[in-house]
Amino acid sequence: MADIESVKEPATLRSIIIKVAVALVLGIGVMLLPRPENLTPEGQRLLGLLAVVVFLWVSEAVPIGATALLSGAGLIFLKIQPAQSAWAPFASPAVMFVLMIIMFGVVLNEVGLANRIMYNLLKFAGTRVKRLSLILAIGCTLTSTVFHDATITVIMVFAFVPVFMSMGMQPGQGHRLPLFFMLLIPLSSSAGGFGTLLGGGRNPLALEILNKFSEGTLTIGFLKYIIIQFPICILTAVATWAILWVLIRPQEKELEGVELTDPGPMKTAETGVLVVFVFTFILWFMGDLTGWHYSVPAAFAILGFCGPGWITFRTICDKFPWESWIVFGAGVSLGVAMLDSGAGRYLAEVCLPLLEGKPMVVVYYGMGFFGSFLSSLMSNSAAVALMLPITLPMAEMMEMSPQSVAMMAPMTTSFIMLVIGCPPTIIAYSTGYFSQKDFIKVAVPWCLLLLVVCVASMLIYWPLIGFVK
């Protein structure tokens, strides 16, 4: 019998009212606290709004999409951001890219490519849950060092969903097996984004900030970056699998009832979509030459899927999980407000000086935790842009290696604790196989333990290769 984790009971009106009241009391309480000199009035109101939004998200008092829209309206109502600035991030290039990358998943599923990918994966890895999940975790992490972690997630999530559906495990029924895989895929993918400069925008951004901070004296090249970071990805992949295996290991030993039926020769629609997909990857790799934002090839790809009639745009819209896109937009909007209002800088100025004079392992872990915390509330690139201008001068004053602090930033901002933290988790959440509470129960210990893995790697591996003394 399938293992049931929990079945969510419908919330009563009384519990909803209590949770909303608690959220409002928290928010108003934060806004009424004495305001520090280095915190702007807008920043204090934003921290109050964040308390409300995060509590509603975590408690799931109201649908997550409704809370996401409330965050945008709250920015305007509390005069933290003008209306244009509050809503503009919902259609920012990053959010539009996520919208289209989720559409890719719908396309892969509808034309049959997701089933084909799953057939070949099961043929290689087998249906034993332990072996399959370990290979999946390592595969997602290592491929995410080169490809965008959202791309890897969307491919694998939409390959696995039909398997669980065929096993009679519908979303929202509390089955632990799909919960395990739907959390393993995005967390493994996210854990690999720092492995090479291609893995995410935060990686070259960290090097750029380091270069400017050192006035051009400190540079790290493409190959050197890989030597420093990539081996650590292997550890984060295995650690991610091990942590999830311990926390939410499913009872099932095997994917029972899954038939490895050969899908046969590729259909015209599958071939066409695959060709467009490959061409889009090529355009993404040529981004430095073309100067195109990665959302541009993605938009061309949607046109390429729909133009020949391999799938209709109406089908994509009907199958699209709109709530996840709105939630990611809200996360970006709040992140931008954190930067504009000065609330993010205030948190950094309050928290990071607490590390002065502490042992090196504590300093590294503290900086890493702060990066993960910021990345849980905003895009990881924004978190890197916020923390490095503050941590690099700190490193210099504490006679630490600025290079190590710069290279730690893209690493630790890969680990998030809230669903809204990055596109992979939003994509997996859109399947409905886990709630925000499920995610937090796993993501918080996962984040804390992976920070341990990374700090240990920095202190042991980096001196061995001569990167730091």
Side-chain angles (χ1 to χ4, degrees):
M1 183 177 175
D3 187 17
I4 303 294
E5 176 68 5
S6 63
V7 178
K8 187 178 178 182
E9 297 290 340
T12 63
L13 179 60
R14 183 170 178 271
S15 71
I16 293 173
I17 292 173
I18 291 174
K19 289 176 182 176
V20 171
V22 171
L24 290 175
V25 168
L26 275 176
I28 293 171
V30 171
M31 291 183 214
L32 293 179
L33 287 172
R35 181 171 60 83
E37 288 184 0
N38 57 343
L39 178 62
T40 63
E42 292 82 7
Q44 184 172 24
R45 293 197 291 273
L46 175 61
L47 293 179
L49 176 63
L50 270 177
V52 175
V53 171
V54 171
F55 183 85
L56 289 178
W57 269 336
V58 173
S59 66
E60 296 181 311
V62 292
I64 183 172
T67 307
L69 292 174
L70 174 68
S71 67
L75 290 173
I76 303 167
F77 177 73
L78 295 172
K79 297 183 178 178
I80 299 167
Q81 295 274 62
Q84 179 68 25
S85 301
W87 293 118
F90 282 76
S92 68
V95 176
M96 293 306 296
F97 172 69
V98 170
L99 176 144
M100 288 180 271
I101 208 75
I102 297 176
M103 287 183 172
F104 279 19
V106 176
V107 174
L108 289 173
N109 192 41
E110 290 300 308
V111 301
L113 273 175
N115 283 334
R116 187 176 296 278
I117 292 169
M118 195 66 203
Y119 168 78
N120 287 294
L121 175 62
L122 293 179
K123 191 176 177 182
F124 171 74
T127 56
R128 299 286 293 176
V129 171
K130 190 172 187 179
R131 172 185 161 87
L132 173 64
S133 59
L134 179 59
I135 292 175
L136 180 67
I138 295 174
C140 286
T141 299
L142 297 188
T143 50
S144 291
T145 63
V146 179
F147 302 109
H148 198 285
D149 51 12
T151 307
I152 302 303
T153 299
V154 81
I155 291 173
M156 297 317 304
V157 161
F158 281 88
F160 267 86
V161 165
V163 172
F164 300 130
M165 298 290 272
S166 69
M167 296 172 70
M169 297 179 179
Q170 303 290 327
Q173 293 183 336
H175 293 287
R176 186 179 281 206
L177 183 66
L179 168 72
F180 172 70
F181 277 99
M182 288 300 111
L183 289 178
L184 182 68
I185 292 169
L187 294 183
S188 300
S189 300
S190 185
F194 66 90
T196 76
L197 283 174
L198 300 174
R202 62 193 179 283
N203 307 335
L205 177 62
L207 299 189
E208 183 182 336
I209 295 174
L210 174 67
N211 186 265
K212 287 183 180 177
F213 170 77
S214 65
E215 297 180 345
T217 60
L218 298 177
T219 58
I220 295 175
F222 188 90
L223 182 59
K224 186 177 180 181
Y225 183 99
I226 294 175
I227 294 172
I228 295 168
Q229 301 286 65
F230 186 83
I232 301 176
C233 285
I234 299 172
L235 298 178
T236 58
V238 176
T240 296
W241 174 82
I243 292 166
L244 266 66
W245 187 256
V246 170
L247 292 178
I248 51 172
R249 177 175 55 193
Q251 270 192 345
E252 291 86 349
K253 304 293 183 187
E254 194 156 353
L255 298 183
E256 296 177 354
V258 177
E259 296 182 4
L260 290 177
T261 306
D262 189 341
M266 292 185 70
K267 302 179 183 68
T268 303
E270 289 180 89
T271 306
V273 166
L274 184 61
V275 169
V276 172
F277 214 46
V278 170
F279 187 63
T280 305
F281 271 119
I282 294 172
L283 288 179
W284 279 334
F285 274 111
M286 295 173 62
D288 289 340
L289 294 176
T290 62
W292 294 349
H293 187 268
Y294 36 78
S295 58
V296 175
F300 286 156
I302 298 295
L303 182 65
F305 298 145
C306 300
W310 296 321
I311 187 170
T312 66
F313 192 67
R314 179 174 290 279
T315 299
I316 295 175
C317 292
D318 288 344
K319 303 282 185 179
F320 187 84
W322 292 100
E323 186 181 53
S324 56
W325 173 61
I326 294 171
V327 171
F328 186 62
V332 175
S333 179
L334 290 171
V336 171
M338 286 271 284
L339 294 172
D340 291 347
S341 69
R345 175 169 287 275
Y346 165 75
L347 291 176
E349 291 173 351
V350 169
C351 298
L352 293 177
L354 299 175
L355 301 173
E356 288 189 55
K358 299 292 188 299
M360 192 62 67
V361 64
V362 176
V363 174
Y364 276 137
Y365 193 88
M367 286 184 175
F369 178 80
F370 187 71
S372 297
F373 171 76
L374 285 181
S375 193
S376 299
L377 297 171
M378 60 181 70
S379 75
N380 41 34
S381 293
V384 168
L386 175 62
M387 68 181 289
L388 276 184
I390 299 168
T391 54
L392 284 174
M394 279 185 61
E396 194 173 48
M397 287 188 296
M398 298 167 71
E399 298 183 350
M400 295 170 61
S401 162
Q403 296 99 314
S404 64
V405 173
M407 294 296 276
M408 181 178 66
M411 184 189 303
T412 57
T413 52
S414 299
F415 316 137
I416 46 91
M417 293 175 273
L418 294 176
V419 168
I420 61 169
C422 67
T425 52
I426 293 286
I427 292 167
Y429 177 80
S430 70
T431 63
Y433 276 111
F434 62 87
S435 66
Q436 293 208 73
K437 285 181 181 175
D438 296 328
F439 182 81
I440 290 171
K441 287 177 185 175
V442 175
V444 171
W446 168 76
C447 176
L448 298 178
L449 290 172
L450 253 63
L451 287 176
V452 173
V453 171
C454 289
V455 171
S457 302
M458 292 162 55
L459 294 175
I460 297 172
Y461 171 64
W462 285 357
L464 285 177
I465 60 173
F467 175 53
V468 294
K469 296 179 180 177

